[in-house]
Amino acid sequence: MSGLTSDVSTVMLGDSLVEAWPKELSASLGAGPVANLGVGRDRIQNTLWFIEHERERLRKIKPRSVIVLVGTNNIYLDKPCGVMESYQKLFEEIRALWPNGKIYSIQILPRGEQMKGAAENIGSVNSELSRRSRELGIRTIDASNIACGRTTPCANYKSDLLHLTPSGYEALTRIARDGIGSS
């Protein structure tokens, strides 16, 4: 957690998709320093654990925005209702930690061959996130347009059809900036 200084304006939380976000692109997501706290292979529960166990260190910063991209590692293991319960708890913890920060949740990205990997579960969770966004105190950002019209291969995805290429991160950054800017 190096780089956590009191002037951090934006915190990024999530899994490997956040961890691998190029610094030069993520830097454009905030009005000041951006702290990327993504951890590869994390599920929503891991991000919750991190917040709960690093609360004292995290309290020292007062971000204006918190960008969350996590859940893809839950989608094959948990039912959509369980994923939503985890999200609800995560957003509650973020809100308790940083009550003045705006929370932006990038919806779970399409994945897999023809972008059909767990598509039903991803669609269900993303739809529920959008529907409940006001209740959850978040703003959702739909970044599914990076999925090349849901055909593969897709230049925005690496060969594993989960992780993003440099062009995928450029597209995701534009979409995130637009989502943050329109709030």
Side-chain angles (χ1 to χ4, degrees), residues 141-178:
I141 298 173
D142 179 354
S144 62
N145 286 344
I146 71 166
C148 303
R150 302 202 183 261
T151 60
T152 52
C154 173
N156 290 333
Y157 283 79
K158 292 183 176 181
S159 61
D160 66 2
L161 300 175
L162 169 63
H163 294 96
L164 303 177
T165 61
S167 66
Y169 277 108
E170 288 170 10
L172 184 58
T173 301
R174 277 191 306 275
I175 292 166
R177 267 198 319 255
D178 288 348

PDB file of all heavy atoms in Angstrom, residues 141-178:
ATOM      1  N   ILE A 141     -21.064   1.929 -13.960  1.00  0.00           N
ATOM      2  CA  ILE A 141     -20.491   2.242 -15.266  1.00  0.00           C
ATOM      3  C   ILE A 141     -20.502   0.955 -16.090  1.00  0.00           C
ATOM      4  O   ILE A 141     -19.887  -0.040 -15.702  1.00  0.00           O
ATOM      5  CB  ILE A 141     -19.048   2.783 -15.127  1.00  0.00           C
ATOM      6  CG1 ILE A 141     -19.052   4.099 -14.321  1.00  0.00           C
ATOM      7  CG2 ILE A 141     -18.416   2.978 -16.501  1.00  0.00           C
ATOM      8  CD1 ILE A 141     -17.669   4.628 -13.979  1.00  0.00           C
ATOM      9  N   ASP A 142     -21.219   0.990 -17.185  1.00  0.00           N
ATOM     10  CA  ASP A 142     -21.306  -0.155 -18.092  1.00  0.00           C
ATOM     11  C   ASP A 142     -20.182  -0.042 -19.116  1.00  0.00           C
ATOM     12  O   ASP A 142     -20.195   0.850 -19.962  1.00  0.00           O
ATOM     13  CB  ASP A 142     -22.670  -0.160 -18.788  1.00  0.00           C
ATOM     14  CG  ASP A 142     -22.836  -1.320 -19.763  1.00  0.00           C
ATOM     15  OD1 ASP A 142     -21.868  -2.072 -20.013  1.00  0.00           O
ATOM     16  OD2 ASP A 142     -23.958  -1.461 -20.296  1.00  0.00           O
ATOM     17  N   ALA A 143     -19.210  -0.938 -19.024  1.00  0.00           N
ATOM     18  CA  ALA A 143     -18.064  -0.918 -19.939  1.00  0.00           C
ATOM     19  C   ALA A 143     -18.108  -2.096 -20.915  1.00  0.00           C
ATOM     20  O   ALA A 143     -17.096  -2.449 -21.514  1.00  0.00           O
ATOM     21  CB  ALA A 143     -16.765  -0.936 -19.146  1.00  0.00           C
ATOM     22  N   SER A 144     -19.272  -2.690 -21.089  1.00  0.00           N
ATOM     23  CA  SER A 144     -19.375  -3.879 -21.947  1.00  0.00           C
ATOM     24  C   SER A 144     -19.048  -3.590 -23.412  1.00  0.00           C
ATOM     25  O   SER A 144     -18.762  -4.520 -24.173  1.00  0.00           O
ATOM     26  CB  SER A 144     -20.763  -4.510 -21.835  1.00  0.00           C
ATOM     27  OG  SER A 144     -21.758  -3.612 -22.272  1.00  0.00           O
ATOM     28  N   ASN A 145     -19.035  -2.318 -23.807  1.00  0.00           N
ATOM     29  CA  ASN A 145     -18.699  -1.985 -25.196  1.00  0.00           C
ATOM     30  C   ASN A 145     -17.270  -2.344 -25.568  1.00  0.00           C
ATOM     31  O   ASN A 145     -16.957  -2.386 -26.757  1.00  0.00           O
ATOM     32  CB  ASN A 145     -18.933  -0.491 -25.455  1.00  0.00           C
ATOM     33  CG  ASN A 145     -20.400  -0.157 -25.554  1.00  0.00           C
ATOM     34  OD1 ASN A 145     -21.242  -1.039 -25.719  1.00  0.00           O
ATOM     35  ND2 ASN A 145     -20.717   1.115 -25.443  1.00  0.00           N
ATOM     36  N   ILE A 146     -16.424  -2.601 -24.604  1.00  0.00           N
ATOM     37  CA  ILE A 146     -15.047  -2.977 -24.952  1.00  0.00           C
ATOM     38  C   ILE A 146     -14.977  -4.394 -25.498  1.00  0.00           C
ATOM     39  O   ILE A 146     -13.946  -4.822 -25.976  1.00  0.00           O
ATOM     40  CB  ILE A 146     -14.061  -2.816 -23.770  1.00  0.00           C
ATOM     41  CG1 ILE A 146     -14.283  -3.856 -22.692  1.00  0.00           C
ATOM     42  CG2 ILE A 146     -14.102  -1.432 -23.198  1.00  0.00           C
ATOM     43  CD1 ILE A 146     -13.138  -3.934 -21.719  1.00  0.00           C
ATOM     44  N   ALA A 147     -16.094  -5.129 -25.471  1.00  0.00           N
ATOM     45  CA  ALA A 147     -16.109  -6.547 -25.841  1.00  0.00           C
ATOM     46  C   ALA A 147     -16.252  -6.814 -27.337  1.00  0.00           C
ATOM     47  O   ALA A 147     -16.665  -7.900 -27.739  1.00  0.00           O
ATOM     48  CB  ALA A 147     -17.207  -7.276 -25.071  1.00  0.00           C
ATOM     49  N   CYS A 148     -15.926  -5.843 -28.186  1.00  0.00           N
ATOM     50  CA  CYS A 148     -15.860  -6.062 -29.650  1.00  0.00           C
ATOM     51  C   CYS A 148     -17.148  -6.650 -30.220  1.00  0.00           C
ATOM     52  O   CYS A 148     -17.104  -7.598 -31.003  1.00  0.00           O
ATOM     53  CB  CYS A 148     -14.683  -6.951 -30.018  1.00  0.00           C
ATOM     54  SG  CYS A 148     -13.078  -6.348 -29.465  1.00  0.00           S
ATOM     55  N   GLY A 149     -18.277  -6.138 -29.816  1.00  0.00           N
ATOM     56  CA  GLY A 149     -19.536  -6.674 -30.327  1.00  0.00           C
ATOM     57  C   GLY A 149     -19.771  -8.114 -29.924  1.00  0.00           C
ATOM     58  O   GLY A 149     -20.497  -8.852 -30.584  1.00  0.00           O
ATOM     59  N   ARG A 150     -19.107  -8.503 -28.842  1.00  0.00           N
ATOM     60  CA  ARG A 150     -19.230  -9.863 -28.288  1.00  0.00           C
ATOM     61  C   ARG A 150     -18.749 -10.953 -29.248  1.00  0.00           C
ATOM     62  O   ARG A 150     -19.288 -12.051 -29.285  1.00  0.00           O
ATOM     63  CB  ARG A 150     -20.645 -10.134 -27.806  1.00  0.00           C
ATOM     64  CG  ARG A 150     -21.069  -9.120 -26.743  1.00  0.00           C
ATOM     65  CD  ARG A 150     -22.183  -9.657 -25.886  1.00  0.00           C
ATOM     66  NE  ARG A 150     -22.620  -8.651 -24.939  1.00  0.00           N
ATOM     67  CZ  ARG A 150     -22.239  -8.606 -23.675  1.00  0.00           C
ATOM     68  NH1 ARG A 150     -21.423  -9.479 -23.192  1.00  0.00           N
ATOM     69  NH2 ARG A 150     -22.690  -7.665 -22.872  1.00  0.00           N
ATOM     70  N   THR A 151     -17.728 -10.614 -30.023  1.00  0.00           N
ATOM     71  CA  THR A 151     -17.108 -11.618 -30.883  1.00  0.00           C
ATOM     72  C   THR A 151     -15.654 -11.809 -30.449  1.00  0.00           C
ATOM     73  O   THR A 151     -15.045 -10.895 -29.894  1.00  0.00           O
ATOM     74  CB  THR A 151     -17.130 -11.190 -32.365  1.00  0.00           C
ATOM     75  OG1 THR A 151     -16.411  -9.961 -32.504  1.00  0.00           O
ATOM     76  CG2 THR A 151     -18.555 -11.011 -32.874  1.00  0.00           C
ATOM     77  N   THR A 152     -15.142 -12.984 -30.694  1.00  0.00           N
ATOM     78  CA  THR A 152     -13.736 -13.252 -30.392  1.00  0.00           C
ATOM     79  C   THR A 152     -13.079 -13.831 -31.631  1.00  0.00           C
ATOM     80  O   THR A 152     -13.757 -14.491 -32.422  1.00  0.00           O
ATOM     81  CB  THR A 152     -13.600 -14.246 -29.206  1.00  0.00           C
ATOM     82  OG1 THR A 152     -14.383 -15.403 -29.454  1.00  0.00           O
ATOM     83  CG2 THR A 152     -14.061 -13.606 -27.910  1.00  0.00           C
ATOM     84  N   PRO A 153     -11.795 -13.576 -31.804  1.00  0.00           N
ATOM     85  CA  PRO A 153     -10.925 -12.807 -30.913  1.00  0.00           C
ATOM     86  C   PRO A 153     -11.319 -11.335 -30.884  1.00  0.00           C
ATOM     87  O   PRO A 153     -11.943 -10.823 -31.803  1.00  0.00           O
ATOM     88  CB  PRO A 153      -9.527 -12.999 -31.502  1.00  0.00           C
ATOM     89  CG  PRO A 153      -9.741 -13.335 -32.933  1.00  0.00           C
ATOM     90  CD  PRO A 153     -11.073 -14.023 -33.009  1.00  0.00           C
ATOM     91  N   CYS A 154     -10.912 -10.680 -29.813  1.00  0.00           N
ATOM     92  CA  CYS A 154     -11.219  -9.262 -29.586  1.00  0.00           C
ATOM     93  C   CYS A 154      -9.908  -8.569 -29.229  1.00  0.00           C
ATOM     94  O   CYS A 154      -9.230  -8.981 -28.297  1.00  0.00           O
ATOM     95  CB  CYS A 154     -12.235  -9.132 -28.451  1.00  0.00           C
ATOM     96  SG  CYS A 154     -12.566  -7.430 -27.932  1.00  0.00           S
ATOM     97  N   ALA A 155      -9.572  -7.530 -29.958  1.00  0.00           N
ATOM     98  CA  ALA A 155      -8.295  -6.833 -29.754  1.00  0.00           C
ATOM     99  C   ALA A 155      -8.171  -6.214 -28.366  1.00  0.00           C
ATOM    100  O   ALA A 155      -7.059  -5.925 -27.920  1.00  0.00           O
ATOM    101  CB  ALA A 155      -8.121  -5.747 -30.813  1.00  0.00           C
ATOM    102  N   ASN A 156      -9.278  -6.034 -27.669  1.00  0.00           N
ATOM    103  CA  ASN A 156      -9.223  -5.437 -26.333  1.00  0.00           C
ATOM    104  C   ASN A 156      -8.943  -6.460 -25.238  1.00  0.00           C
ATOM    105  O   ASN A 156      -8.762  -6.084 -24.088  1.00  0.00           O
ATOM    106  CB  ASN A 156     -10.531  -4.704 -26.030  1.00  0.00           C
ATOM    107  CG  ASN A 156     -10.688  -3.458 -26.869  1.00  0.00           C
ATOM    108  OD1 ASN A 156      -9.703  -2.859 -27.289  1.00  0.00           O
ATOM    109  ND2 ASN A 156     -11.918  -3.068 -27.133  1.00  0.00           N
ATOM    110  N   TYR A 157      -8.941  -7.728 -25.603  1.00  0.00           N
ATOM    111  CA  TYR A 157      -8.729  -8.798 -24.626  1.00  0.00           C
ATOM    112  C   TYR A 157      -7.483  -9.608 -24.987  1.00  0.00           C
ATOM    113  O   TYR A 157      -7.207  -9.841 -26.163  1.00  0.00           O
ATOM    114  CB  TYR A 157      -9.924  -9.761 -24.602  1.00  0.00           C
ATOM    115  CG  TYR A 157     -11.132  -9.257 -23.865  1.00  0.00           C
ATOM    116  CD1 TYR A 157     -12.001  -8.345 -24.442  1.00  0.00           C
ATOM    117  CD2 TYR A 157     -11.417  -9.697 -22.574  1.00  0.00           C
ATOM    118  CE1 TYR A 157     -13.120  -7.883 -23.767  1.00  0.00           C
ATOM    119  CE2 TYR A 157     -12.543  -9.244 -21.889  1.00  0.00           C
ATOM    120  CZ  TYR A 157     -13.379  -8.339 -22.497  1.00  0.00           C
ATOM    121  OH  TYR A 157     -14.490  -7.895 -21.816  1.00  0.00           O
ATOM    122  N   LYS A 158      -6.789 -10.062 -23.947  1.00  0.00           N
ATOM    123  CA  LYS A 158      -5.686 -10.997 -24.148  1.00  0.00           C
ATOM    124  C   LYS A 158      -6.258 -12.351 -24.547  1.00  0.00           C
ATOM    125  O   LYS A 158      -7.476 -12.562 -24.503  1.00  0.00           O
ATOM    126  CB  LYS A 158      -4.859 -11.121 -22.860  1.00  0.00           C
ATOM    127  CG  LYS A 158      -4.105  -9.853 -22.516  1.00  0.00           C
ATOM    128  CD  LYS A 158      -3.251 -10.031 -21.284  1.00  0.00           C
ATOM    129  CE  LYS A 158      -2.443  -8.776 -21.015  1.00  0.00           C
ATOM    130  NZ  LYS A 158      -1.590  -8.929 -19.833  1.00  0.00           N
ATOM    131  N   SER A 159      -5.399 -13.286 -24.877  1.00  0.00           N
ATOM    132  CA  SER A 159      -5.850 -14.600 -25.364  1.00  0.00           C
ATOM    133  C   SER A 159      -6.665 -15.375 -24.325  1.00  0.00           C
ATOM    134  O   SER A 159      -7.426 -16.267 -24.689  1.00  0.00           O
ATOM    135  CB  SER A 159      -4.660 -15.434 -25.836  1.00  0.00           C
ATOM    136  OG  SER A 159      -3.758 -15.651 -24.768  1.00  0.00           O
ATOM    137  N   ASP A 160      -6.547 -15.025 -23.039  1.00  0.00           N
ATOM    138  CA  ASP A 160      -7.357 -15.716 -22.023  1.00  0.00           C
ATOM    139  C   ASP A 160      -8.814 -15.246 -22.020  1.00  0.00           C
ATOM    140  O   ASP A 160      -9.642 -15.808 -21.315  1.00  0.00           O
ATOM    141  CB  ASP A 160      -6.742 -15.573 -20.626  1.00  0.00           C
ATOM    142  CG  ASP A 160      -6.751 -14.142 -20.084  1.00  0.00           C
ATOM    143  OD1 ASP A 160      -7.266 -13.221 -20.759  1.00  0.00           O
ATOM    144  OD2 ASP A 160      -6.239 -13.944 -18.967  1.00  0.00           O
ATOM    145  N   LEU A 161      -9.105 -14.213 -22.813  1.00  0.00           N
ATOM    146  CA  LEU A 161     -10.456 -13.653 -22.956  1.00  0.00           C
ATOM    147  C   LEU A 161     -11.050 -13.186 -21.626  1.00  0.00           C
ATOM    148  O   LEU A 161     -12.258 -13.185 -21.433  1.00  0.00           O
ATOM    149  CB  LEU A 161     -11.396 -14.630 -23.668  1.00  0.00           C
ATOM    150  CG  LEU A 161     -10.952 -15.011 -25.075  1.00  0.00           C
ATOM    151  CD1 LEU A 161     -11.868 -16.069 -25.667  1.00  0.00           C
ATOM    152  CD2 LEU A 161     -10.880 -13.785 -25.976  1.00  0.00           C
ATOM    153  N   LEU A 162     -10.172 -12.768 -20.745  1.00  0.00           N
ATOM    154  CA  LEU A 162     -10.567 -12.192 -19.456  1.00  0.00           C
ATOM    155  C   LEU A 162      -9.802 -10.894 -19.203  1.00  0.00           C
ATOM    156  O   LEU A 162     -10.391  -9.872 -18.905  1.00  0.00           O
ATOM    157  CB  LEU A 162     -10.300 -13.185 -18.313  1.00  0.00           C
ATOM    158  CG  LEU A 162     -10.410 -12.625 -16.896  1.00  0.00           C
ATOM    159  CD1 LEU A 162     -11.825 -12.154 -16.611  1.00  0.00           C
ATOM    160  CD2 LEU A 162      -9.974 -13.655 -15.872  1.00  0.00           C
ATOM    161  N   HIS A 163      -8.488 -10.952 -19.329  1.00  0.00           N
ATOM    162  CA  HIS A 163      -7.642  -9.799 -19.060  1.00  0.00           C
ATOM    163  C   HIS A 163      -7.540  -8.916 -20.300  1.00  0.00           C
ATOM    164  O   HIS A 163      -7.736  -9.378 -21.420  1.00  0.00           O
ATOM    165  CB  HIS A 163      -6.269 -10.267 -18.578  1.00  0.00           C
ATOM    166  CG  HIS A 163      -6.364 -10.958 -17.255  1.00  0.00           C
ATOM    167  ND1 HIS A 163      -6.448 -12.331 -17.146  1.00  0.00           N
ATOM    168  CD2 HIS A 163      -6.450 -10.466 -15.998  1.00  0.00           C
ATOM    169  CE1 HIS A 163      -6.562 -12.647 -15.869  1.00  0.00           C
ATOM    170  NE2 HIS A 163      -6.571 -11.534 -15.152  1.00  0.00           N
ATOM    171  N   LEU A 164      -7.234  -7.646 -20.066  1.00  0.00           N
ATOM    172  CA  LEU A 164      -7.263  -6.666 -21.137  1.00  0.00           C
ATOM    173  C   LEU A 164      -5.883  -6.378 -21.711  1.00  0.00           C
ATOM    174  O   LEU A 164      -4.879  -6.452 -21.016  1.00  0.00           O
ATOM    175  CB  LEU A 164      -7.883  -5.363 -20.616  1.00  0.00           C
ATOM    176  CG  LEU A 164      -9.291  -5.483 -20.036  1.00  0.00           C
ATOM    177  CD1 LEU A 164      -9.756  -4.134 -19.495  1.00  0.00           C
ATOM    178  CD2 LEU A 164     -10.267  -6.031 -21.061  1.00  0.00           C
ATOM    179  N   THR A 165      -5.886  -6.015 -22.981  1.00  0.00           N
ATOM    180  CA  THR A 165      -4.696  -5.577 -23.690  1.00  0.00           C
ATOM    181  C   THR A 165      -4.537  -4.071 -23.476  1.00  0.00           C
ATOM    182  O   THR A 165      -5.446  -3.414 -22.935  1.00  0.00           O
ATOM    183  CB  THR A 165      -4.853  -5.849 -25.196  1.00  0.00           C
ATOM    184  OG1 THR A 165      -5.985  -5.098 -25.674  1.00  0.00           O
ATOM    185  CG2 THR A 165      -5.039  -7.332 -25.495  1.00  0.00           C
ATOM    186  N   PRO A 166      -3.434  -3.494 -23.923  1.00  0.00           N
ATOM    187  CA  PRO A 166      -3.310  -2.028 -23.817  1.00  0.00           C
ATOM    188  C   PRO A 166      -4.483  -1.284 -24.467  1.00  0.00           C
ATOM    189  O   PRO A 166      -4.997  -0.316 -23.884  1.00  0.00           O
ATOM    190  CB  PRO A 166      -1.978  -1.739 -24.515  1.00  0.00           C
ATOM    191  CG  PRO A 166      -1.153  -2.980 -24.222  1.00  0.00           C
ATOM    192  CD  PRO A 166      -2.152  -4.111 -24.348  1.00  0.00           C
ATOM    193  N   SER A 167      -4.943  -1.739 -25.630  1.00  0.00           N
ATOM    194  CA  SER A 167      -6.087  -1.057 -26.259  1.00  0.00           C
ATOM    195  C   SER A 167      -7.355  -1.247 -25.431  1.00  0.00           C
ATOM    196  O   SER A 167      -8.218  -0.362 -25.384  1.00  0.00           O
ATOM    197  CB  SER A 167      -6.304  -1.549 -27.696  1.00  0.00           C
ATOM    198  OG  SER A 167      -6.707  -2.910 -27.719  1.00  0.00           O
ATOM    199  N   GLY A 168      -7.492  -2.386 -24.762  1.00  0.00           N
ATOM    200  CA  GLY A 168      -8.636  -2.613 -23.877  1.00  0.00           C
ATOM    201  C   GLY A 168      -8.630  -1.647 -22.702  1.00  0.00           C
ATOM    202  O   GLY A 168      -9.671  -1.099 -22.321  1.00  0.00           O
ATOM    203  N   TYR A 169      -7.434  -1.418 -22.133  1.00  0.00           N
ATOM    204  CA  TYR A 169      -7.340  -0.458 -21.027  1.00  0.00           C
ATOM    205  C   TYR A 169      -7.573   0.976 -21.497  1.00  0.00           C
ATOM    206  O   TYR A 169      -8.152   1.781 -20.763  1.00  0.00           O
ATOM    207  CB  TYR A 169      -6.009  -0.586 -20.286  1.00  0.00           C
ATOM    208  CG  TYR A 169      -6.045  -1.686 -19.263  1.00  0.00           C
ATOM    209  CD1 TYR A 169      -5.350  -2.868 -19.452  1.00  0.00           C
ATOM    210  CD2 TYR A 169      -6.805  -1.545 -18.106  1.00  0.00           C
ATOM    211  CE1 TYR A 169      -5.411  -3.892 -18.516  1.00  0.00           C
ATOM    212  CE2 TYR A 169      -6.868  -2.556 -17.163  1.00  0.00           C
ATOM    213  CZ  TYR A 169      -6.166  -3.728 -17.372  1.00  0.00           C
ATOM    214  OH  TYR A 169      -6.244  -4.729 -16.439  1.00  0.00           O
ATOM    215  N   GLU A 170      -7.148   1.290 -22.707  1.00  0.00           N
ATOM    216  CA  GLU A 170      -7.434   2.628 -23.237  1.00  0.00           C
ATOM    217  C   GLU A 170      -8.941   2.831 -23.358  1.00  0.00           C
ATOM    218  O   GLU A 170      -9.472   3.875 -22.957  1.00  0.00           O
ATOM    219  CB  GLU A 170      -6.745   2.823 -24.584  1.00  0.00           C
ATOM    220  CG  GLU A 170      -5.246   2.967 -24.466  1.00  0.00           C
ATOM    221  CD  GLU A 170      -4.526   2.926 -25.810  1.00  0.00           C
ATOM    222  OE1 GLU A 170      -5.195   2.979 -26.870  1.00  0.00           O
ATOM    223  OE2 GLU A 170      -3.288   2.831 -25.795  1.00  0.00           O
ATOM    224  N   ALA A 171      -9.637   1.822 -23.888  1.00  0.00           N
ATOM    225  CA  ALA A 171     -11.096   1.905 -24.026  1.00  0.00           C
ATOM    226  C   ALA A 171     -11.763   1.962 -22.654  1.00  0.00           C
ATOM    227  O   ALA A 171     -12.677   2.776 -22.435  1.00  0.00           O
ATOM    228  CB  ALA A 171     -11.619   0.714 -24.829  1.00  0.00           C
ATOM    229  N   LEU A 172     -11.320   1.128 -21.724  1.00  0.00           N
ATOM    230  CA  LEU A 172     -11.904   1.108 -20.380  1.00  0.00           C
ATOM    231  C   LEU A 172     -11.693   2.452 -19.678  1.00  0.00           C
ATOM    232  O   LEU A 172     -12.588   2.955 -18.992  1.00  0.00           O
ATOM    233  CB  LEU A 172     -11.313  -0.040 -19.561  1.00  0.00           C
ATOM    234  CG  LEU A 172     -11.891  -0.247 -18.166  1.00  0.00           C
ATOM    235  CD1 LEU A 172     -13.395  -0.496 -18.206  1.00  0.00           C
ATOM    236  CD2 LEU A 172     -11.178  -1.406 -17.476  1.00  0.00           C
ATOM    237  N   THR A 173     -10.534   3.034 -19.855  1.00  0.00           N
ATOM    238  CA  THR A 173     -10.240   4.330 -19.240  1.00  0.00           C
ATOM    239  C   THR A 173     -11.168   5.407 -19.790  1.00  0.00           C
ATOM    240  O   THR A 173     -11.710   6.214 -19.021  1.00  0.00           O
ATOM    241  CB  THR A 173      -8.761   4.715 -19.453  1.00  0.00           C
ATOM    242  OG1 THR A 173      -7.926   3.689 -18.873  1.00  0.00           O
ATOM    243  CG2 THR A 173      -8.424   6.058 -18.811  1.00  0.00           C
ATOM    244  N   ARG A 174     -11.376   5.415 -21.108  1.00  0.00           N
ATOM    245  CA  ARG A 174     -12.297   6.398 -21.708  1.00  0.00           C
ATOM    246  C   ARG A 174     -13.708   6.223 -21.153  1.00  0.00           C
ATOM    247  O   ARG A 174     -14.366   7.195 -20.784  1.00  0.00           O
ATOM    248  CB  ARG A 174     -12.342   6.236 -23.233  1.00  0.00           C
ATOM    249  CG  ARG A 174     -11.224   6.928 -23.974  1.00  0.00           C
ATOM    250  CD  ARG A 174     -11.470   6.970 -25.461  1.00  0.00           C
ATOM    251  NE  ARG A 174     -11.737   5.670 -26.071  1.00  0.00           N
ATOM    252  CZ  ARG A 174     -10.798   4.819 -26.477  1.00  0.00           C
ATOM    253  NH1 ARG A 174      -9.525   5.119 -26.335  1.00  0.00           N
ATOM    254  NH2 ARG A 174     -11.129   3.662 -27.012  1.00  0.00           N
ATOM    255  N   ILE A 175     -14.167   4.983 -21.091  1.00  0.00           N
ATOM    256  CA  ILE A 175     -15.514   4.702 -20.585  1.00  0.00           C
ATOM    257  C   ILE A 175     -15.633   5.114 -19.112  1.00  0.00           C
ATOM    258  O   ILE A 175     -16.616   5.737 -18.708  1.00  0.00           O
ATOM    259  CB  ILE A 175     -15.861   3.203 -20.771  1.00  0.00           C
ATOM    260  CG1 ILE A 175     -15.996   2.887 -22.258  1.00  0.00           C
ATOM    261  CG2 ILE A 175     -17.135   2.831 -20.011  1.00  0.00           C
ATOM    262  CD1 ILE A 175     -16.011   1.389 -22.581  1.00  0.00           C
ATOM    263  N   ALA A 176     -14.619   4.784 -18.315  1.00  0.00           N
ATOM    264  CA  ALA A 176     -14.643   5.158 -16.892  1.00  0.00           C
ATOM    265  C   ALA A 176     -14.632   6.662 -16.717  1.00  0.00           C
ATOM    266  O   ALA A 176     -15.393   7.207 -15.910  1.00  0.00           O
ATOM    267  CB  ALA A 176     -13.471   4.504 -16.157  1.00  0.00           C
ATOM    268  N   ARG A 177     -13.787   7.352 -17.485  1.00  0.00           N
ATOM    269  CA  ARG A 177     -13.730   8.830 -17.402  1.00  0.00           C
ATOM    270  C   ARG A 177     -15.080   9.435 -17.763  1.00  0.00           C
ATOM    271  O   ARG A 177     -15.554  10.354 -17.097  1.00  0.00           O
ATOM    272  CB  ARG A 177     -12.649   9.379 -18.318  1.00  0.00           C
ATOM    273  CG  ARG A 177     -11.323   9.563 -17.644  1.00  0.00           C
ATOM    274  CD  ARG A 177     -10.387  10.488 -18.410  1.00  0.00           C
ATOM    275  NE  ARG A 177     -10.398  10.291 -19.833  1.00  0.00           N
ATOM    276  CZ  ARG A 177      -9.442   9.678 -20.523  1.00  0.00           C
ATOM    277  NH1 ARG A 177      -8.377   9.220 -19.927  1.00  0.00           N
ATOM    278  NH2 ARG A 177      -9.545   9.559 -21.819  1.00  0.00           N
ATOM    279  N   ASP A 178     -15.710   8.911 -18.816  1.00  0.00           N
ATOM    280  CA  ASP A 178     -17.028   9.406 -19.217  1.00  0.00           C
ATOM    281  C   ASP A 178     -18.047   9.162 -18.099  1.00  0.00           C
ATOM    282  O   ASP A 178     -18.867  10.025 -17.800  1.00  0.00           O
ATOM    283  CB  ASP A 178     -17.511   8.733 -20.504  1.00  0.00           C
ATOM    284  CG  ASP A 178     -16.752   9.196 -21.725  1.00  0.00           C
ATOM    285  OD1 ASP A 178     -16.011  10.200 -21.646  1.00  0.00           O
ATOM    286  OD2 ASP A 178     -16.877   8.527 -22.781  1.00  0.00           O
TER     287      ASP A 178
END
